[in-house]
Amino acid sequence: MAKVKKQPRPKAQTPKGFRDYFGAEVSERADMLRTIAAVYHRYGFDALESSAVETVEALGKFLPDVDRPNEGVFAWQEDDSDWLALRYDLTAPLARVYAQNRNDLPTPYRRFAMGPVWRNEKPGPGRFRQFYQCDADTVGSASMAADAEICAMLSDTLEAVGIPRGDYIVRINNRKVLNGVLEVMGVGEGETREAVLRTIDKFDKVGESGVRELLGKGRLDASGAYIDGVGLAPESADPVIAFLTSRADGNSATLANLRSAIEGSTIGEAGVSELEDMAALLEAQGYGPDRIVIDPAVVRGLGYYTGPVFEAELTFEITDEKGRPRQFGSVAGGGRYDDLVARFTGQTVPAVGVSIGVDRLLAALRAKGRLSSAQNGPVVITVMDRDRMADYQEIVAELRNENIRAEVYLGNPKNFGNQLKYADRRGSPVAIIQGGDEQEKGVVQIKDLILGAKIAENATLEEWKERPSQIEAPRAELVERVREILSTHGLLADDGSYV
Amino acid sequence: MAKVKKQPRPKAQTPKGFRDYFGAEVSERADMLRTIAAVYHRYGFDALESSAVETVEALGKFLPDVDRPNEGVFAWQEDDSDWLALRYDLTAPLARVYAQNRNDLPTPYRRFAMGPVWRNEKPGPGRFRQFYQCDADTVGSASMAADAEICAMLSDTLEAVGIPRGDYIVRINNRKVLNGVLEVMGVGEGETREAVLRTIDKFDKVGESGVRELLGKGRLDASGAYIDGVGLAPESADPVIAFLTSRADGNSATLANLRSAIEGSTIGEAGVSELEDMAALLEAQGYGPDRIVIDPAVVRGLGYYTGPVFEAELTFEITDEKGRPRQFGSVAGGGRYDDLVARFTGQTVPAVGVSIGVDRLLAALRAKGRLSSAQNGPVVITVMDRDRMADYQEIVAELRNENIRAEVYLGNPKNFGNQLKYADRRGSPVAIIQGGDEQEKGVVQIKDLILGAKIAENATLEEWKERPSQIEAPRAELVERVREILSTHGLLADDGSYV
């Protein structure tokens, strides 16, 4: 008989660029999603959960004349028929859902969605190939009130999840204003336009003089390499610079600067009017420039969107992995996109939306120490006598029924030290001990593990005598005594629960 | 110039076997998951969210000598290297996570997980290729206390999500008892064993006499086709029948029947003892046979598991799509599987877990009318004058700040009838109207849409005069008056919110 070839053991690893989330990481994200959903819902948005898998055709990631789907998506072919793919955002599926159900959905259709999306991109530090998004979109409204509302909602949402006013800013810009600038410059469609847009994108890094050089002959970058310029005449840069530096003290002053930057361009004037409308609507609801401000330096996403664009930035500093202070930066962005549904139906449907990067927002709150990333460890009932497991189960059932998180130690009970080590690892505040003697006397030992750890670290003998970390209590008083200890450490909720 | 070939429009469709979830479907599932998570957490289980994508190697779905992964998973190859796949359950990823992190995780490791899983199977009515599971597992404990605890937790969970005691039953069986039966029958490994197991699986459908025929010469099935039998001697069926029919009145009687069915088999006796231990532990915690019962007719999953097996069944009848009453059946199942981690590490790690089919449970609650599947429609502020959008935004902001779900109509305001139709479609309880006249007088019109609908249906003229469905109120009293109307219809929460 032929020898069966032994299969090597599989590697226990997540695929490259993927990760697992444990304990508080999971519950903190769930809490944040719930909080965001509540704000979105209060604003009149309805929940939608589309399938994680879409046809590549619907996602629109099939390049013409190419056999395989575009890069950037995880895709596979079903038995020589359809190509399927994991969604890479929540907007493309929304366009598909709206086109598919447009006769049954209200118009305008306000919907929110939350869940993982997948990107087939090179992973990097802190950049994963699966991450959460939390979107809200209004489909079927051309009114600037829809855009203003989404900015107001974004501001409310950030405060609801624990970013206080002053620690964030929502900045608004408008794609049409940029188009107006290009029109004033005399830059039409084509390569020059692309080169100008790329240059504008670099404003953050190279500043005004850098942009002037790059639009003209070119410039030496920091590494000493020479970057070719777009080759425009020096004065052509003026409208771009006027646009990029138009932010002034207050929205009206900014709007006046923008008007002069795009003077003579119809599309540009339409863009400035849209910004003006949004500012007025936000003002009426009490959202001033301390929360939402017009800022023409917002260029992210200008290529994708067709009208207003906005971005929420956290303004506080955090310490990066190398100990240097840095701005946290953007946590959400969105804008108006009026062409997505037309792919399916041929009819243009105006739409505007926002996407919150939930994982980035969680990282920001953690970096600021505003999430404990700790959870309540369970009360651990130790096992002194493995034949009396039923008694221990009775104790644990009693605690759980009183809404106290608890468990019986289920490992090998032989070594009692291991049981206490386990309780320590779980972050347990209290351990319960009941051997045969205690059972006969109708009592239990209750060990305050938090106090015990403190005493072990730095208590004097007197303190130790005064506040013993272990007490003996009548069995009938178990729940009450455990609650007392939890309360001492500020762990008991108002309703007496510990969960 | 060559003509650019026009791309056909993509189809706006979910892939075959996938679906979208709207509004209350999403929030009801989120509520259920939160409720289940709270019970699991109270029992000492920690949350884990593993990546949706795994290597096919880690999932163990690569058949030897086959180029492509097994059927049943959605899989694709990454640039001529690893095969990746969507997880098909939450247990295989747990084995991978535990093997990968075993030095950092507590032992035993209690974890819960919830989320979608994907199956590359033929879809059918009510059977989708993406659905939610909600699992809890204890890894690293061989104690029957772990199994008993999971059954108790399953019982608590079903009650927490709204299945009252008496409407469900958790049935327990044990794989070792079945092995004992096979030992007593003299059936070893191999084809006969598989045939016997398949026959046992049919007990539900064909009953005692059917099983006897199928273990012997064979039988005519309902369609008239002759099904070949296993070919055993008639008396060989006795232990199987004794096993399958051993359920008696009360666990002790059932256990006695089982003992006699497997008399002489060591493995069988070990299985009966395990069942006995579980029953005693459950009894101590107050879980009697009205909630959790030993039932040897549970055969589902007996092939996969290595010890205790359990299944939660809803015992009430629902009406199926053809109007016939039927039992709802199984909504959760689990058991002990001691071999999964060994694939990675070579070391056997005992484990036991349960998986709740959340979508099935939701379907059951809906079928029983225990989920309203409705949500609070927003208060709609109509737009009488599109130049006064800022005023309407002020009104909506005021309502939202008072925790009342509200929105301004954002469609084309030209046709007022369309605005009321929209409010109707959204299930709005109240519409706010303020034209120029009202604004001058400092008032608003508040329309009770629920009362309005009732009146339109069946009110007499007197009733209509007595309780007009539209009132005029001073602008300053807006929130108060809206609350009054919501309260009339029982829609206002105790804290004055409507969300």
Side-chain angles (χ1 to χ4, degrees), chain B residues 246 248 250-262 272 276:
Chain B
S246 55
N251 286 337
S252 359
T254 305
L255 287 164
N257 288 344
L258 284 177
R259 274 214 192 283
S260 80
I262 50 81
V272 177
E276 208 162 22

Side-chain angles (χ1 to χ4, degrees), chain A residues 279-294:
Chain A
L281 289 165
L282 287 165
E283 201 78 42
Q285 295 167 75
Y287 294 84
D290 57 325
R291 289 192 268 176
I292 308 177
V293 71
I294 296 173

Side-chain angles (χ1 to χ4, degrees), chain B residues 107-437:
Chain B
T107 299
Y109 176 49
R110 284 172 152 104
R111 86 90 181 78
F112 70 88
M114 37 190 56
V117 300
W118 293 267
R119 301 268 170 95
N120 193 357
E121 287 168 352
K122 216 180 130 154
R127 278 188 58 198
F128 296 98
R129 306 210 282 177
Q130 170 179 332
F131 55 93
Y132 270 75
Q133 288 192 332
C134 191
D135 286 21
D137 295 77
T138 299
V139 181
S141 173
S143 167
M144 280 304 114
D147 307 63
E149 174 176 83
I150 280 188
C151 290
M153 184 166 77
L154 176 55
S155 166
D156 282 14
T157 302
L158 292 173
E159 294 184 19
V161 301
I163 311 281
R165 206 168 295 181
D167 270 3
Y168 71 91
I169 188 81
V170 178
R171 304 188 298 151
I172 313 180
N173 195 359
N174 193 303
R175 171 68 205 238
K176 289 176 185 166
V177 179
L178 175 65
N179 285 351
V181 169
L182 294 170
E183 196 177 45
V184 170
M185 290 169 74
V187 174
E189 299 292 331
E191 275 177 38
T192 307
R193 186 192 187 87
E194 294 306 312
V196 171
L197 289 173
R198 273 197 307 277
T199 305
I200 290 175
D201 246 349
K202 292 184 187 141
F203 177 64
D204 268 358
K205 282 185 202 143
V206 301
E208 179 177 335
S209 63
V211 166
R212 281 191 188 277
E213 285 168 359
L214 286 170
L215 288 176
K217 291 182 187 156
R219 80 190 277 270
L220 273 177
D221 78 0
S223 71
Y226 193 82
I227 311 291
D228 284 339
V230 182
L232 301 178
E235 66 275 15
S236 294
D238 292 346
V240 172
I241 298 300
F243 166 71
L244 288 171
T245 60
S246 55
R247 181 163 169 189
D249 207 14
N251 286 337
S252 359
T254 305
L255 287 164
N257 288 344
L258 284 177
R259 274 214 192 283
S260 80
I262 50 81
E263 208 180 332
S265 160
T266 312
I267 183 87
E269 272 162 16
V272 177
S273 293
E274 288 183 359
L275 284 173
E276 208 162 22
D277 283 357
M278 283 179 72
L281 289 164
L282 288 165
E283 200 78 44
Q285 295 168 74
Y287 294 84
D290 57 325
R291 289 192 268 176
I292 308 176
V293 71
I294 297 173
D295 185 350
V298 177
V299 287
R300 199 187 75 144
L302 275 179
Y304 174 75
Y305 295 109
T306 55
V309 181
F310 33 85
E311 187 168 58
E313 200 177 287
L314 302 187
T315 51
F316 53 73
E317 279 187 346
I318 56 150
T319 309
D320 71 8
E321 54 283 3
K322 289 183 182 159
R324 294 169 303 205
R326 66 168 180 86
Q327 291 277 310
F328 193 86
S330 172
V331 290
R336 179 163 283 277
Y337 55 96
D338 287 345
D339 304 330
L340 274 185
V341 179
R343 282 186 57 237
F344 296 101
T345 63
Q347 283 176 303
T348 295
V349 177
V352 57
V354 67
S355 182
I356 296 184
V358 174
D359 293 317
R360 271 187 69 74
L361 204 44
L362 284 165
L365 288 170
R366 275 191 203 110
K368 278 298 268 188
R370 290 194 189 138
L371 286 177
S372 66
S373 295
Q375 53 184 353
N376 287 334
V379 172
V380 168
I381 292 88
T382 59
V383 175
M384 299 300 285
D385 180 352
R386 77 166 76 202
D387 292 336
R388 284 188 34 247
M389 205 46 131
D391 294 336
Y392 303 127
Q393 292 293 344
E394 210 183 298
I395 293 176
V396 81
E398 201 174 315
L399 288 166
R400 286 168 179 164
N401 288 339
E402 293 287 333
N403 247 322
I404 293 170
R405 190 181 192 212
E407 57 172 68
V408 174
Y409 179 72
L410 289 180
N412 187 337
K414 215 167 154 188
N415 181 332
F416 189 68
N418 279 349
Q419 299 198 42
L420 290 183
K421 267 185 217 150
Y422 172 85
D424 185 47
R425 194 155 209 174
R426 295 300 309 275
S428 305
V430 171
I432 310 290
I433 303 160
Q434 194 194 46
D437 290 353

Side-chain angles (χ1 to χ4, degrees), chain A residues 280-442:
Chain A
L281 289 165
L282 287 165
E283 201 78 42
Q285 295 167 75
Y287 294 84
D290 57 325
R291 289 192 268 176
I292 308 177
V293 71
I294 296 173
D295 186 349
V298 176
V299 287
R300 201 186 74 144
L302 276 180
Y304 175 75
Y305 295 109
T306 55
V309 182
F310 32 84
E311 186 168 58
E313 200 177 287
L314 303 187
T315 51
F316 54 72
E317 281 187 345
I318 56 147
T319 307
D320 72 8
E321 55 283 2
K322 289 184 181 157
R324 293 168 305 201
R326 67 169 182 85
Q327 292 277 308
F328 193 86
S330 172
V331 290
R336 179 165 283 277
Y337 55 97
D338 286 345
D339 305 330
L340 275 183
V341 178
R343 283 186 56 238
F344 296 101
T345 63
Q347 283 178 304
T348 295
V349 177
V352 57
V354 66
S355 180
I356 296 184
V358 173
D359 292 318
R360 271 187 68 74
L361 204 45
L362 284 166
L365 288 170
R366 276 192 201 110
K368 280 297 270 188
R370 290 193 191 137
L371 287 177
S372 67
S373 295
Q375 53 184 353
N376 289 334
V379 171
V380 169
I381 292 88
T382 59
V383 175
M384 299 300 284
D385 181 352
R386 76 166 76 202
D387 292 336
R388 286 191 31 248
M389 205 46 132
D391 294 336
Y392 303 128
Q393 293 291 346
E394 207 183 299
I395 292 176
V396 81
E398 201 174 315
L399 288 165
R400 288 168 178 164
N401 288 339
E402 293 286 335
N403 246 322
I404 293 170
R405 188 179 194 213
E407 57 172 67
V408 175
Y409 179 72
L410 289 180
N412 186 337
K414 213 167 154 188
N415 180 333
F416 189 69
N418 279 350
Q419 300 198 42
L420 290 183
K421 266 184 217 154
Y422 171 84
D424 185 47
R425 194 154 211 177
R426 295 298 310 274
S428 304
V430 171
I432 310 290
I433 304 160
Q434 194 195 48
D437 290 354
E438 281 91 2
Q439 199 209 5
E440 265 176 44
K441 285 164 62 187

Side-chain angles (χ1 to χ4, degrees), chain A residues 47-223:
Chain A
L48 167 69
E49 183 168 334
S50 63
S51 59
V53 178
E54 295 276 349
T55 63
V56 169
E57 184 188 357
L59 284 185
K61 281 280 178 176
F62 233 130
L63 295 172
D65 312 319
V66 174
D67 272 354
R68 282 186 58 96
N70 213 339
E71 284 186 17
V73 299
F74 289 106
W76 63 92
Q77 193 171 18
E78 283 259 87
D79 303 331
D80 299 321
S81 65
D82 288 351
W83 278 88
L84 301 182
L86 290 175
R87 64 182 178 205
Y88 58 85
D89 72 3
L90 300 172
T91 312
L94 170 62
R96 192 266 305 153
V97 169
Y98 185 79
Q100 184 173 350
N101 301 280
R102 61 192 183 282
N103 296 328
D104 301 318
L105 292 172
T107 298
Y109 177 48
R110 286 171 151 106
R111 86 89 180 79
F112 70 88
M114 37 191 55
V117 300
W118 294 266
R119 302 267 168 96
N120 193 357
E121 288 167 351
K122 217 181 127 146
R127 280 187 57 198
F128 296 98
R129 305 209 283 177
Q130 171 179 331
F131 56 92
Y132 270 75
Q133 288 192 333
C134 190
D135 286 21
D137 295 77
T138 300
V139 181
S141 174
S143 168
M144 280 304 112
D147 307 63
E149 173 176 85
I150 281 188
C151 290
M153 185 168 75
L154 176 55
S155 166
D156 282 13
T157 303
L158 292 173
E159 295 183 18
V161 301
I163 311 281
R165 207 168 294 181
D167 270 2
Y168 72 90
I169 189 80
V170 177
R171 303 188 299 152
I172 313 179
N173 197 359
N174 193 301
R175 172 69 205 236
K176 289 177 185 166
V177 179
L178 176 65
N179 285 350
V181 170
L182 295 170
E183 196 176 46
V184 171
M185 289 169 75
V187 174
E189 299 292 330
E191 275 179 37
T192 307
R193 188 191 186 87
E194 293 307 311
V196 171
L197 289 173
R198 273 199 306 278
T199 304
I200 290 175
D201 247 347
K202 291 185 187 141
F203 177 64
D204 268 358
K205 280 186 203 141
V206 303
E208 179 177 335
S209 64
V211 167
R212 282 191 186 276
E213 287 168 358
L214 286 170
L215 288 176
K217 292 184 186 154
R219 81 188 278 271
L220 273 177
D221 78 0
S223 70

Side-chain angles (χ1 to χ4, degrees), chain B residues 52-115:
Chain B
V53 177
E54 295 277 348
T55 63
V56 169
E57 183 188 357
L59 285 185
K61 281 280 177 176
F62 233 129
L63 294 172
D65 312 318
V66 173
D67 272 354
R68 281 188 59 97
N70 212 339
E71 282 186 17
V73 299
F74 289 107
W76 63 91
Q77 192 171 18
E78 283 259 271
D79 302 331
D80 300 320
S81 64
D82 287 352
W83 278 89
L84 300 182
L86 290 175
R87 65 184 179 203
Y88 56 86
D89 71 4
L90 300 171
T91 312
L94 169 63
R96 192 266 304 153
V97 169
Y98 185 79
Q100 184 173 350
N101 302 281
R102 60 192 183 283
N103 295 326
D104 301 319
L105 293 172
T107 299
Y109 176 49
R110 284 172 152 104
R111 86 90 181 78
F112 70 88
M114 37 190 56

